[in-house]
Amino acid sequence: FSPAYIGVVRTRETPKHTVLGDFSKGLDGWSCPFMRTEPYDPEFQYTFVKHPQGDMALSINELEIPFQLATNKLVDPMMADLSDANKLQIQLYNEQPGHWTITLFYRPDQAGQKIWTHELPVNTGWSEHSLIRNTFHSEEGTVIPFWDKAHRIMISFQGLSATEPYGSAAIGKILFN
């Protein structure tokens, strides 16, 4: 078998995108970090809900574990150059008051890992947020220098009461603009 038998490879120009998730075709590269290791919960399921504007949103059915969803889609070769992006736009839903934490990782789980976070206190229901780059800070207080330094994004929700179940939460469309 030789490449000569395959024929000429045609490049398919697919436009690069700035959307990290719209969940119209499933998980869209997102996963729950708690379900990546054993023991696996056989009852665990990803669920999809409708955003009031008609778009899809991603949730999980486990109310007893922290709500966290993450993706490495930022390093997808089909991701557009983010140097011109001004903000990260996120649609979020939560059933009880609390706060969302958006975490950006550089070199996740490797030597030299850097972490920048942004916290959003919110009430209940759907909310939309436009986050600019200089609102993400490391523990040392440094700002993420460029969007392309982010290799992973994790979005988590924590209710105000640590003793109650986390309640229902969901993430809607996420994109750079």
Side-chain angles (χ1 to χ4, degrees), residues 15 18 28-29 37 45 58 72 77 81 83 93 95 103 106 110 112 118 120 138 143 146 148-149 157:
T18 58
D28 215 356
T37 60
Q45 291 181 354
L58 179 61
N72 293 330
D81 177 17
S83 58
Y93 171 81
E95 215 170 61
T103 308
Y106 170 74
Q110 301 176 46
H118 179 91
L120 294 166
S138 68
V143 173
F146 305 101
D148 64 357
K149 289 292 184 190
F157 176 75

Side-chain angles (χ1 to χ4, degrees), residues 25-52:
K25 296 178 184 165
L27 293 176
D28 215 356
W30 288 78
S31 65
C32 177
F34 284 99
M35 293 295 116
R36 291 177 56 191
T37 60
E38 293 182 9
Y40 295 110
D41 180 356
E43 306 294 316
F44 177 83
Q45 291 181 354
Y46 294 101
T47 57
F48 296 94
V49 295
K50 283 264 191 192
H51 183 276

Side-chain angles (χ1 to χ4, degrees), residues 62-124:
E62 285 289 329
L63 301 182
E64 302 299 323
I65 65 171
F67 180 92
Q68 285 188 344
L69 291 168
T71 187
N72 293 330
K73 204 168 179 180
L74 290 161
V75 293
D76 182 340
M78 291 311 298
M79 197 71 193
D81 177 17
L82 298 176
S83 58
D84 292 334
N86 292 321
K87 48 191 151 179
L88 175 64
Q89 294 181 273
I90 303 177
Q91 297 172 335
L92 303 169
Y93 171 81
N94 50 289
E95 215 170 61
Q96 62 176 307
H99 70 270
W100 289 89
T101 303
I102 292 80
T103 308
L104 301 174
F105 296 84
Y106 170 74
R107 296 179 54 98
D109 306 322
Q110 301 176 46
Q113 172 178 281
K114 293 184 177 158
I115 300 172
W116 298 274
T117 60
H118 179 91
E119 289 199 8
L120 294 166
V122 293
N123 292 319
T124 58

Side-chain angles (χ1 to χ4, degrees), residues 86-88 118 130-136 143-144 147:
N86 292 321
K87 48 191 151 179
L88 175 64
H118 179 91
S130 292
L131 309 175
I132 55 176
R133 189 177 43 77
N134 66 3
T135 61
F136 288 86
V143 173
I144 186 168
W147 286 120

